[in-house]
Each structure stands twice: as C-alpha cells, then as structure tokens.
C-alpha cells in the first residue's frame, strides 16, 4: 500500500509530464484553487457593479467605475484570490490552468487599483504563456488596465496588435467592449458605437446585452439618430432587463419615438401620466417629471417645462443626482433663455448644494455659480447703494412718508406670511395625527412635504423627509440664521448696548426691542418695524455718501467685466461701462474702460464708436499702457522681452555695486534704462540707481530720490521695501540732529545748496520749478531742482548742488535781484538763502527756519 502511494506521488510530481501527472494537475488546479480564485473575481465584479451609481442622465460607461476607496471594501476577496491563484501556480506548475491563474492574479491587482503590478502580470502571461487564448485574454485585460491608468497610447498599441490575431469568441467580445470603452474615454462616439455593436452579436448574457444595447441607443440619441436609438432601446427591452434599466429605456424611447416627432403632445403627455400612475414607478417620479420637463421645453413650452422641473425637485426623496440636474436645468433656463441672472444664481446655488462631485460638468457648473454669485453681488451693491442715496436726497417729510408706506406694506405682507404659516402648521399637525393613528405609518401618499413619503411615524425621525424639508425651506427662505424675525428680508439695526439691560440681557417684555418686535400681553411677539432704525441706515453725511458712491463705481466696473468676459453680453457690457464713465468721469478705471470699449465695440462692428474711444485714449492718455497697446498690440510681449534684457544688465550692475565700482554700475544702469525704457522692470533698475547714489551722494539726496520713487511707482511691489529705506534714512537724520544738538556747523568750504522757502500753495508748487529752471538755463548753471515740503505751512525749492560757497552765493544774488516774490504775484513771505549740505541735513530735520536765518545772516555776506 505504501509503495502504491509513493508511486502515485512520484508520478504526480509537478515536474513529471506523464499522462497521469498532467491529468491530476489539470483537474486539481482547475476545480480547486483556480475555481475558488475565479469565484472571488466574480464576487468582486458583482460588488463593483452593485456599488456603482448609474447616472442615466449621461451615456452610461461601458464598464462600471471603481476606485481605491471602493477597493477597500473587497480587499479580503483580493487577498484570498491572489492566495488561491498562487497555489494553483506553485503546486500545479505546468498545468493547463497556470496561465489562467496568472490572469486572475493580474485581475485581482487591477481591481485593487495596483495598475503597475497588474500590467507586469499581464505582460508576463503574454510573453511566457503557453496558450494563444490565454495570451489574448491577458492582452485584452492589459489594454483595459492601460486605459484605466491613462496610458491611452499603449492601449491603442495593444489593440492594433490584436487586430492581427485570431481571437476566440469570448476574447473577441471583450476586445470589442474594451475598444468601445477606449473610444468612450476619447469621446469618439462613432468608433465607440462601431465596436459595441460588434460586441453585442457575440454576447450570450441577456443582462449584459441589454445594457450595451441601451448604451448604443444613448449614443445614437445624443448624435441625433433617433430612429436608430429607438431600435436599440427596443432591443434592450427584448432582453428582459432589470426594472431600473427597463424604466429608463422606456423614458428614452418616448423621447425618440415617432410619437414624439409627430408633435402629438396629447399622446406623449398621456404616456408620461401613465408612467406616473404606475405604482412601481413611485421612486422614479422625479425622473419622470424631469423627462416631461425636457419634452415640454424642447417643444417651446417653457413655463410648463419649468413647472415639471419643480415637480421633479419636490418628488426627489433620495436621488440628489437627479435633484441636482433638475435644479441645473432651471438655472440654465433662467440664465440662457430668460437672462434673469439673480434667479439663475439661486438655482445654481441649489444645484451645487446637492450635486455629486463626480459629475462630468461639476467644475463647469461650479464656475458658473461663482460667476453668478459675483454678478448678483455687484448688482445688489449698485441697487442698494442707489436706493440709499435716493433716500438721502429726499426731504425729511418725503422720507418720513416713504418709510411709513413701506412699513405698512411690509407689516401687511408679514401678516399674510404668518397666516399661511399657521395653515401649513395645522396641515402638518393633522398629518402627524393621522400617522400616529396608523401603527404601521402607511398613511397613503399624503405626507408632510411630499406626495410619496413612506417614512417613519414622525416626520423628524425620517432623514429623507427632514432633508426634503431643509431643501424646501432653503428654496423659499434661503440660508437664514436662527434668530428672531428670520423671515424678514430686511432687518432693522441689530441690538446695541442701549438695547440691553445692565446684566446684558435683551429688553424686558412689553418694551420694543431694536429688531422691531413688541411683546403683547400674552408674551407673544408681534411683527413691527422700527422706523427710527430704518432712518439710521440712510446716509446723511458727505463722507457716508461718498463711500457708497465709491462702492458703486467699483461694482459697475466689475459688472461690466462680468458682462464682457463671463456672460459674453457685450451690449450690456457697453451700456454698463458707458454708464460708469457718465457717472464717474474722473474714475481710476477710465483709461482701462476706454480700451475695453474700443475692443468690444470693434468686435461688435461699431467702428465709429470704437474709434471714438480709441481717440480718447490716444489724445488724453497717450502714456497709458492701454494707448500703447492700441499703437502696438504686441506691446506686452515686447515689454516682457525688454524687461528680461534689462534684468541681465541689472544683474551685472549689481555685481559692480557689490564690488564698490559705483561709476561702472551707474553707467550700466543709465545705458540700460536708455535702451529699454518701457517695461515692468524699470522700477527695480531705478531703485538700484538710488541706492548707489546713497553711497556716493548726500543722505538728503538719497531720501529725496526715495520719496520721488514712491510717487513715480506707487503700485510697484518694491514700495514696502522703499518705505522701510525712507524710515531708516529719517531715523538717521534724527540721530544726526540729536548728536549735533541742533547747532549749525561753521564749516563752509564744501558744496552748497540754494533754498527758496514759500508758504505752501498748489499753484506755486507747479510754477516755481519751471521758474527756476528757466533762470538756471539762462545762466548756464547745471544743478538739480527739487520741490519739497518743509513743514505744515511751508514748502521749498531746492537747487543741488553748487560746487562751493561762492557759486551758491552768486546765484542767490541773482535770485534776489530778480525779485521772484513780485513776479509770481503772490502774497505771503518768501525766503531765499544758501546752505551747506551738512547744515541742510540739520535744517531739514529740525525745521528751525528762524534759527538758520539767524545763523545765515551772521555767516554769509549781505548784498
């Protein structure tokens, strides 16, 4: 007996190739390890299909989708499958099922989203496998893995290779399906359909055939081939599909049938009503109403279509995807057809509140929601601020009468709302009582908030009903904070310190609170608007009104851009921009708006008006970037190239600066700024020049140039850094003055400045620099002319710098002889004198004009 067993084991060893060994290993590997591993794969595929949320509003995917999160739910089956398939490979090496077991390992890794190892496994079978059918099966699986891993070029390479191979029926069917999936990913619907139709002819599973026929019908319907779509939908129903698929097939058939094309609206509507009455369709009412709406809108019945979309929303209990699509369709109607953007915003908000983020259009819908949110914000700013300014323009009597009328109207409206709310509460109480009398909670179809509620005994115990209630509340009232008077769209001023008791609690009963509520004898709140609180919101001062106008200016600019760039409503954009120019002729946006109007009107074909705004720019703002863009449309690109060249010069000059080669650095910068004088890097180059001057010239000149930089480049990103340099320089001056104890230094053998002090006057600030410039040119004197503020009352003209005391004094004599105080024809006191650079630093910091004039009279000769 032992000998027989030993001989059996010897003949059944994996390395043996006799008939007995081969039969044993083939049978054992097939019906033991491989069979169990294959059952695991089937279970995984069932989990994926059952877990996938089929979105019938879109063309269904050829294969149900899965991800790493879902993969965690069947991780146990994955591990078990790999373990069993590995046993078939290791213990039954060389069996006919070894390649098949490797394929199962590859599929397990594929479904666990381990695409890299799945690819290697399928490649191994293709290169090391024995049977052609197994190699072909592995290659088809490899192609799908490449598709899921976004390696589409590799996928099509595998497909091209398999075209030359002779595949069996199952592999050929899977290849056609995978090719169809590939073309679906590429959005190539023609090739997708061609492959799927070939796959259908090779299918034996009626369920699979029904789903693929439905997908083909969807594709034909989307391409406008309605008769072909109808034919495939009909084929779907012949395969006795699951009820959900059958339901959606019938709905789609109604859309593409001859009945629909015949415009016999009564018959189509009758068909939809029949679907609504079918008890099996209770959970699909939202979809039926949705399709009814699409049908009515398609035939121009917009109002009826909108009514059906709203019915779809009300009927949707647990299908947020369908509810989102209904909201979205209403949003698109208000947006595209009715151009009522405020209403469109509300529906887009509702869409995003329930839309699953795996929807293909998710980002596009979110973008439009944000656009509409911004759009409505700008509209509200303009409307509210204009209303407040209008109220501010009224006389006290007219304003009082207006508010009285408004309060009466609002209080009447609130009474009506309260009456409607009481009726609704009574209906709810009656409904709850009816449900409480029914121990099974099956009170028919009439329940709170829905016509098909089949939940728990009490409304708040049913999550679906509560969710519906929340959405209904939001659709009517919006997002309201839980507070008193939450129904009111406009609330008076909030509670302030005067409305609180000493303990910080609200005012007692029978005294009106600041929200406009009185307490009656029963302690119940009665709606009342506080007129004084409304009056307090009216802007009375010029500052308050100016603030509102500034907000309107910005909002109109934003609104014009939204019309132009986001909504593509060019005429509305033109109207808004022109209204902005009319209301705010000195707007900071004027130049940009002129340029935008020039472009928009040119695109609209209105050449005369386009040329008008072009000429406004060229004549009134020739130095603006927008005028330069008109002259040279490539200005920005050219400017960027110039900026890059200037950056290279800057880097070289900065290297010289670090080596204290200041002259070479300045020469490089001056040459670069002369060549490339119009780009975004000029501020950087000029600041480096100022810093170099700070090393080679006086501290005052350095500070003076820094302040000029701030005036010339107010929007430069370097402004914070320059501010810090100015503060450091000023602190240095203060320390210098403190160290000298504000005493002027009797050292005159050094460069001098000429100073002309005058009482600050805007006209003089504009004319005096030109006056002194003319004198210096007449006398061939090469100096810099600056205009500075000395203190709260005085400004000064500064000429810097004269090489010595004599040349400065001679120039001062010229000015004294000229008698500028008479020529400029201005009353007030004027002073002209000379001063050393060192003493000027002290003078400029101490502002002690009288002290220096005394010092000046003692140390400089009088003419």
């Amino acid at each position: 007996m032992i000998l027989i067993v030993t001989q059996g084991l010897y003949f059944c060893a994996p390395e043996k190739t006799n008939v007995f060994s081969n039969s044993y290993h083939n049978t054992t590997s097939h019906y033991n390890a491989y069979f169990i591993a294959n059952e695991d794969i089937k279970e995984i595929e069932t989990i994926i299909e059952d877990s996938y949320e089929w979105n019938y509003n879109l063309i269904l995917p050829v294969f149900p989708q899965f991800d790493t999160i879902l993969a965690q739910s069947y991780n146990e089956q994955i591990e078990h499958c790999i373990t069993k398939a590995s046993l078939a490979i290791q213990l039954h090496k060389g069996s006919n099922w070894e390649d098949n077991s490797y394929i199962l390992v590859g599929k397990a890794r594929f479904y666990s989203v381990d695409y890299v190892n799945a690819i290697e496994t399928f490649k191994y079978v293709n290169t090391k496998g024995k049977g052609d059918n197994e190699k072909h099966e592995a290659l088809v699986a490899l192609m799908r893995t490449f598709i899921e891993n976004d390696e589409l070029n590799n996928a099509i390479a595998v497909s091209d290779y398999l075209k030359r191979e002779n595949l069996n029926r199952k592999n050929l069917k899977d290849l056609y399906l995978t090719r169809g999936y590939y073309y679906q990913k590429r959005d190539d619907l023609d090739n997708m359909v061609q492959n799927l139709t070939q796959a259908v002819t090779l299918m034996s599973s009626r369920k699979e055939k029904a789903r693929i026929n439905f997908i083909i019908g969807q594709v034909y319907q989307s391409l406008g081939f309605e008769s072909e779509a109808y034919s495939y939908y009909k084929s779907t129903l012949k395969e006795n599909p699951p009820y959900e698929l059958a339901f959606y097939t019938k709905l789609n058939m109604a859309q593409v049938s001859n009945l629909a094309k015949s415009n016999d609206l009564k018959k189509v509507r009758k068909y939809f009503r029949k679907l609504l009455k079918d008890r099996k369709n209770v959970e699909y009412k939202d979809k039926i109403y949705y399709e009814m709406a699409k049908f009515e809108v398609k035939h121009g019945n917009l109002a009826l279509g909108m009514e059906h979309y709203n019915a779809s929303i009300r009927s949707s209990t647990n299908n947020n995807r369908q509810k989102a699509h209904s909201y979205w369709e209403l949003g698109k109607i208000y947006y595209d057809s009715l151009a009522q953007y405020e209403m469109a915003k509300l529906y887009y908000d509702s869409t995003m509140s329930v839309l699953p983020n795996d929807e293909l259009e998710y980002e596009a819908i979110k973008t439009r929601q944000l656009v509409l949110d911004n759009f409505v914000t700008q509209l509200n700013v303009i409307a509210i601020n204009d209303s407040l300014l209008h109220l501010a323009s009224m006389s006290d009597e007219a304003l009082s009468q207006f508010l009285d009328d408004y309060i009466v109207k609002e209080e009447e409206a609130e009474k009506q709302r309260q009456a409607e709310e009481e009726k609704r509460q009574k209906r709810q109480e009656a409904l709850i009582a009816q449900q409480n009398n029914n121990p099974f909670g099956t009170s028919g179809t009439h329940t709170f908030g829905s016509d098909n509620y089949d939940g728990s005994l009490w409304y708040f115990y049913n999550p679906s009903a509560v969710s519906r209630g929340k959405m209904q509340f939001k659709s009517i009232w919006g997002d309201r904070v839980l507070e008193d008077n939450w129904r009111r769209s406009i609330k008076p001023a909030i509670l302030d310190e005067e409305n609180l008791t000493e303990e910080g609690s609200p005012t007692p009963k029978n005294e009106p609170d600041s929200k406009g509520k009185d307490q009656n004898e029963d302690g119940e709140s009665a709606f009342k608007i506080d007129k004084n609180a409304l009056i307090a919101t009216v802007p009375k001062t010029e500052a308050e009104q100016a603030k509102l106008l500034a907000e309107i200016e910005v909002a109109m600019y934003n609104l014009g851009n939204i019309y132009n760039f986001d909504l593509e409503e060019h005429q509305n954009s033109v109207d808004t921009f022109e209204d902005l120019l009319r209301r705010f002729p000195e707007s900071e946006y004027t130049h940009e708006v002129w340029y935008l109007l020039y472009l928009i009107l040119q695109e609209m074909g209105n050449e005369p008006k386009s040329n008008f705004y072009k000429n406004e720019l060229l004549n009134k703002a020739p130095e603006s970037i927008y005028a330069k863009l008109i002259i040279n449309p490539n200005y920005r690109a050219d400017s960027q190239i110039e900026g890059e060249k200037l950056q290279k010069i800057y880097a070289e000059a900065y290297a010289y600066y670090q080596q204290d080669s200041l002259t070479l650095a300045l020469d490089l910068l001056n040459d670069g700024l002369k060549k490339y004088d119009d780009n975004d890097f000029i501020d950087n180059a000029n600041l480096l020049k100022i810093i170099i001057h700070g090393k080679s010239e006086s501290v005052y000149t350095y500070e003076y140039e820094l302040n000029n930089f701030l005036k010339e480049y107010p929007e430069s990103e370097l402004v914070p850094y320059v501010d810090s340099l100015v503060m450091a320089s000023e602190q240095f001056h203060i320390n210098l003055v403190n160290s000298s104890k504000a005493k002027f230094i009797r050292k005159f053998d050094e460069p001098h400045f000429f100073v002309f002090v005058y009482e600050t006057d805007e006209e003089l600030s504009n004319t005096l620099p030109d006056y002194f410039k003319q004198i210096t040119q007449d006398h061939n004197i090469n100096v810099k002319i600056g205009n500075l503020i000395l203190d709260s009352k005085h400004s000064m003209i500064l000429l810097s710098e004269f090489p010595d005391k004599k040349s400065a004094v001679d120039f001062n004599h010229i000015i004294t002889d000229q008698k500028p105080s008479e020529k400029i024809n201005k009353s007030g006191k004027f002073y002209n004198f000379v001063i050393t650079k060192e003493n000027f630093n002290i003078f400029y910091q101490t502002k002690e004009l009288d002290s220096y004039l005394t010092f000046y009279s003692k140390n400089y000769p009088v003419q």
Side-chain angles (χ1 to χ4, degrees):
M1 184 66 182
I2 295 174
L3 179 61
I4 295 173
V5 172
T6 303
Q7 288 179 335
L9 292 173
Y10 172 79
F11 285 115
C12 293
E15 62 273 11
K16 298 300 179 180
T17 58
N18 55 73
V19 175
F20 184 78
S21 175
N22 290 341
S23 177
Y24 167 77
H25 287 294
N26 286 337
T27 303
T28 306
S29 63
H30 182 195
Y31 293 106
N32 190 356
Y34 172 82
F35 176 83
I36 296 173
N38 194 42
E39 289 300 305
D40 286 327
I41 291 296
K42 290 180 180 178
E43 185 176 351
I44 290 168
E45 290 174 342
T46 300
I47 291 172
I48 291 173
E49 184 171 348
D50 291 344
S51 300
Y52 185 66
E53 184 182 350
W54 299 97
N55 183 4
Y56 290 91
N57 292 313
L58 303 173
I59 296 174
L60 298 183
V62 174
F63 299 117
Q65 305 298 285
F66 58 94
D67 53 28
T68 53
I69 296 176
L70 179 61
Q72 294 174 7
S73 67
Y74 49 75
N75 187 60
E76 182 180 344
Q77 289 89 335
I78 293 288
E79 297 297 332
H80 190 255
C81 172
I82 293 176
T83 300
K84 288 298 181 181
S86 298
L87 286 175
I89 295 169
Q90 294 166 3
L91 299 181
H92 306 287
K93 190 172 183 179
S95 75
N96 291 342
W97 297 93
E98 182 178 356
D99 293 343
N100 303 82
S101 298
Y102 271 115
I103 291 173
L104 291 183
V105 172
K107 288 184 177 181
R109 288 170 173 170
F110 168 76
Y111 286 126
S112 65
V113 201
D114 183 5
Y115 296 135
V116 174
N117 284 317
I119 289 170
E120 292 303 316
T121 305
F122 294 135
K123 283 183 176 179
Y124 176 83
V125 175
N126 181 51
T127 55
K128 301 294 184 180
K130 298 175 183 178
D132 287 341
N133 289 338
E134 287 74 18
K135 288 183 178 182
H136 295 157
E137 182 180 357
L139 285 173
V140 173
L142 177 63
M143 180 181 175
R144 184 179 172 194
T145 309
F146 278 140
I147 295 171
E148 297 293 1
N149 203 34
D150 289 327
E151 298 181 43
L152 299 183
N153 289 333
N154 288 337
I156 201 64
V158 174
S159 175
D160 290 340
Y161 172 79
L162 288 173
K163 285 180 181 178
R164 303 187 294 271
E165 296 292 300
N166 185 21
L167 278 65
N168 64 22
R169 185 182 182 91
K170 179 182 180 302
N171 287 337
L172 188 59
K173 183 240 344 179
D174 290 340
L175 176 61
Y176 283 134
L177 285 176
T178 306
R179 281 179 182 160
Y181 185 54
Y182 166 83
Y183 287 115
Q184 185 176 36
K185 287 282 189 179
R186 298 289 297 268
D187 202 27
D188 184 348
L189 299 182
D190 287 335
N191 278 312
M192 176 188 173
V193 164
Q194 288 179 25
N195 282 279
L196 293 185
T197 51
Q198 294 183 77
V200 168
T201 61
L202 301 171
M203 290 177 178
S204 57
S205 168
R206 298 186 68 183
K207 180 180 179 182
E208 184 180 32
K209 187 182 292 188
R211 188 171 64 84
I212 298 303
N213 275 327
F214 179 80
I215 293 173
I216 297 172
Q218 285 185 303
V219 174
Y220 276 128
Q221 184 177 354
S222 69
L223 294 174
F225 302 118
E226 296 187 344
S227 61
E228 288 84 355
Y230 184 86
S231 175
Y232 276 96
Y233 287 143
K234 193 173 181 180
S235 297
T236 300
L237 294 178
K238 287 180 180 178
E239 302 300 331
N240 192 26
Y243 184 78
E244 183 177 53
L245 182 59
F247 168 78
Y248 283 104
T249 302
K250 292 175 182 177
L251 274 185
N252 287 3
M253 286 178 72
Q255 297 173 18
V256 299
S257 66
N258 292 327
L259 183 67
K261 289 190 288 186
S262 69
N263 291 324
D264 191 342
L265 301 184
K266 290 183 179 180
K267 291 184 179 179
V268 177
R269 288 167 181 162
K270 182 179 180 181
Y271 173 76
F272 281 126
R273 285 197 298 270
K274 181 181 177 182
L275 290 177
L276 285 172
K277 290 179 181 179
D278 191 335
R279 292 184 179 181
K280 292 184 292 185
N281 293 337
V282 168
E283 63 178 301
Y284 300 116
K285 275 189 175 182
D286 53 353
K287 180 62 179 176
I288 298 171
Y289 278 120
Y290 178 80
E291 296 300 333
M292 291 171 69
K294 287 178 65 176
F295 176 81
E296 296 296 347
V297 170
K298 180 179 177 181
H299 287 82
N301 302 315
L302 204 60
L304 186 55
M306 294 170 70
E307 183 180 326
H308 289 326
Y309 279 131
N310 279 304
S312 172
I313 293 168
R314 290 193 300 270
S315 301
S316 185
T317 58
N318 55 7
N319 189 348
N320 278 344
R321 193 182 298 275
Q322 179 56 63
K323 182 180 291 187
H325 276 268
S326 297
Y327 277 131
W328 184 28
E329 291 298 331
L330 282 167
K332 287 193 289 185
I333 289 173
Y334 279 109
Y335 183 96
D336 296 320
S337 302
L338 302 178
Q340 295 182 20
Y341 300 121
E342 292 181 75
M343 287 297 296
K345 173 202 176 294
L346 297 177
Y347 280 104
Y348 270 89
D349 287 346
S350 297
T351 302
M352 292 305 301
S353 70
V354 293
L355 183 70
N357 57 15
D358 63 346
E359 282 281 342
L360 294 177
E361 300 286 346
Y362 184 89
E363 290 301 325
I365 297 172
K366 183 178 180 181
T367 299
R368 180 158 291 190
Q369 180 210 16
L370 295 175
V371 168
L372 288 171
D373 185 65
N374 187 20
F375 177 83
V376 172
T377 297
Q378 309 309 322
L379 278 182
N380 288 339
V381 168
I382 296 170
I384 293 172
N385 287 14
D386 273 338
S387 297
L388 290 172
L389 290 169
H390 174 68
L391 294 177
S393 68
M394 291 182 175
S395 64
D396 291 342
E397 294 79 6
L399 177 61
S400 178
Q401 183 60 50
F402 175 86
L403 293 179
D404 286 340
D405 295 341
Y406 167 80
I407 290 171
V408 169
K409 191 182 299 181
E410 278 292 299
E411 291 179 349
E412 282 298 321
E414 178 60 21
K415 288 179 181 177
Q416 185 175 350
R417 284 192 290 268
Q418 288 180 352
E420 291 173 356
E421 177 67 12
E422 288 175 2
K423 290 180 181 178
R424 190 196 65 77
Q425 288 179 353
K426 288 180 180 178
R427 288 197 300 270
Q428 177 186 346
E429 290 169 0
L431 177 61
I432 292 174
Q434 181 183 2
Q435 291 174 342
N436 287 337
N437 290 330
N438 187 338
F440 300 103
T442 55
S443 56
T445 58
H446 297 287
T447 68
F448 175 76
S450 174
D451 290 338
N452 59 352
Y453 168 53
D454 55 356
S456 305
L457 292 179
W458 191 42
Y459 165 74
F460 291 103
Y461 288 163
N462 185 284
S464 176
V466 171
S467 176
R468 265 199 318 278
K470 287 181 179 178
M471 289 306 303
Q472 289 172 351
F473 179 91
K474 281 188 177 183
S475 67
I476 298 172
W477 302 105
D479 264 329
R480 297 296 176 91
V481 178
L482 184 58
E483 60 180 1
D484 292 338
N485 288 333
W486 57 265
R487 295 185 190 87
R488 296 175 57 196
S489 58
I490 300 177
K491 299 180 179 67
I494 60 173
L495 284 170
D496 54 28
E497 294 180 1
E498 294 179 359
N499 301 118
L500 301 177
T501 62
E502 292 182 1
E503 291 79 11
S505 57
T507 49
K509 292 181 181 180
N510 302 321
E511 293 183 18
D513 65 25
S514 65
K515 290 188 177 182
K517 292 174 64 179
D518 287 340
Q519 304 291 336
N520 59 27
E521 293 180 355
D522 297 328
E524 297 177 351
S525 295
F527 181 83
K528 187 174 178 61
I529 298 177
D530 186 347
K531 182 178 179 180
N532 291 329
L534 292 179
I535 292 175
T537 64
V538 179
K540 292 296 184 182
T541 68
E542 289 186 6
E544 291 174 334
Q545 294 174 17
K547 181 175 181 295
L548 295 181
L549 285 169
E551 291 174 356
I552 292 174
E553 179 184 352
V554 174
M556 292 183 73
Y557 167 77
N558 292 335
L559 191 62
N561 279 320
I562 294 170
Y563 272 129
N564 183 35
F565 296 109
D566 298 321
L567 303 180
E568 297 183 357
E569 295 278 350
H570 296 316
Q571 186 57 54
N572 283 337
S573 178
V574 169
D575 294 342
T576 303
F577 281 142
E578 289 185 333
D579 198 24
L580 169 64
L581 295 174
R582 179 184 60 79
R583 294 188 63 176
F584 306 98
E586 302 298 325
S587 172
E588 63 176 297
Y589 305 113
T590 296
H591 297 164
E592 183 181 355
V593 168
W594 282 345
Y595 180 70
L596 289 171
L597 285 170
Y598 155 72
L599 293 177
I600 297 168
L601 290 163
Q602 189 178 59
E603 185 178 345
M604 294 173 65
N606 192 337
E607 289 295 330
K609 287 193 74 174
S610 177
N611 288 332
F612 170 78
Y613 290 111
K614 171 184 174 181
N615 293 330
E616 288 287 281
L617 261 176
L618 296 178
N619 295 331
K620 296 182 181 179
E623 295 303 317
S624 69
I625 186 175
Y626 305 105
K628 293 173 182 176
L629 282 170
I630 289 178
I631 296 171
N632 176 18
N634 298 321
Y635 169 75
R636 291 187 188 276
D638 294 344
S639 175
Q640 183 177 353
I641 294 172
E642 286 194 0
E644 291 170 356
K645 292 179 179 179
L646 185 59
Q647 285 182 47
K648 295 179 181 178
I649 294 173
Y650 175 93
E652 191 176 350
Y654 188 77
Y656 280 126
Y657 164 73
Q658 289 181 313
Q659 299 166 11
D660 280 336
S661 301
L662 304 183
T663 302
L664 288 173
L666 281 173
D667 288 344
L668 268 175
L669 287 171
N670 287 329
D671 184 55
L673 287 167
K674 189 178 295 183
K675 285 182 180 178
Y676 313 115
D677 60 350
D678 195 3
N679 58 77
D680 292 338
F681 199 71
I682 285 180
D683 53 344
N684 291 268
N686 275 315
L687 180 57
L688 181 56
K689 276 185 63 177
I690 293 170
I691 292 173
I692 294 172
H693 284 154
K695 272 196 170 185
S696 60
E697 298 187 14
S698 69
V699 176
Y700 159 71
T701 303
Y702 169 67
E703 184 180 328
Y704 169 72
E705 290 181 344
L706 287 176
N707 282 299
N708 276 349
F709 180 94
L710 293 174
K711 293 178 183 177
E712 191 170 355
Y713 305 106
E715 297 181 1
S716 170
E717 61 182 12
L718 300 172
V719 165
Y721 175 61
V722 176
D723 280 331
S724 69
L725 294 179
V726 171
M727 290 179 64
S729 176
E730 290 175 347
Q731 187 62 44
F732 173 81
H733 285 160
I734 293 170
N735 295 338
L736 179 65
V737 171
N738 290 339
S739 65
S740 66
K741 297 182 180 178
K743 292 183 178 179
F744 296 104
I745 302 169
R746 297 177 185 278
K747 182 181 177 183
F748 306 108
D749 188 18
E750 62 176 66
H752 275 60
F753 294 159
F754 167 81
V755 178
F756 185 85
V757 178
Y758 62 96
E759 293 180 1
T760 301
D761 179 276
E762 185 176 354
E763 184 179 347
L764 289 179
S765 297
N766 293 329
T767 58
L768 281 176
D770 292 334
Y771 173 79
F772 283 102
K773 182 179 180 181
Q774 186 61 49
I775 295 176
T776 57
Q777 289 176 351
D778 292 343
H779 292 82
N780 198 26
I781 298 172
N782 185 22
V783 291
K784 293 181 180 178
I785 301 174
N787 198 355
L788 302 172
I789 294 175
L790 178 60
D791 55 32
S792 60
K793 295 183 179 179
H794 298 90
S795 297
M796 59 183 177
I797 300 295
L798 178 72
L799 274 64
S800 63
E801 57 188 48
F802 292 88
D804 52 36
K805 175 180 177 181
K806 182 179 182 305
S807 58
V809 169
D810 289 344
F811 183 79
N812 188 53
H813 290 164
I814 293 172
I815 297 302
T816 302
D817 291 340
Q818 290 272 355
K819 295 182 179 179
S821 59
E822 296 179 3
K823 292 187 178 182
I824 59 180
N825 194 26
K826 283 280 185 179
S827 60
K829 293 184 179 181
F830 303 91
Y831 309 92
N832 55 285
F833 52 83
V834 298
I835 187 171
T836 64
K837 290 174 65 173
E838 192 171 5
N839 281 336
F840 181 80
N841 289 332
I842 299 171
F843 165 70
Y844 188 61
Q845 288 299 321
T846 61
K847 317 294 185 186
E848 294 182 4
L849 178 59
D850 292 337
S851 296
Y852 182 75
L853 290 176
T854 301
F855 174 86
Y856 176 75
S857 65
K858 292 179 180 180
N859 293 281
Y860 289 85
V862 179
Q863 187 179 19

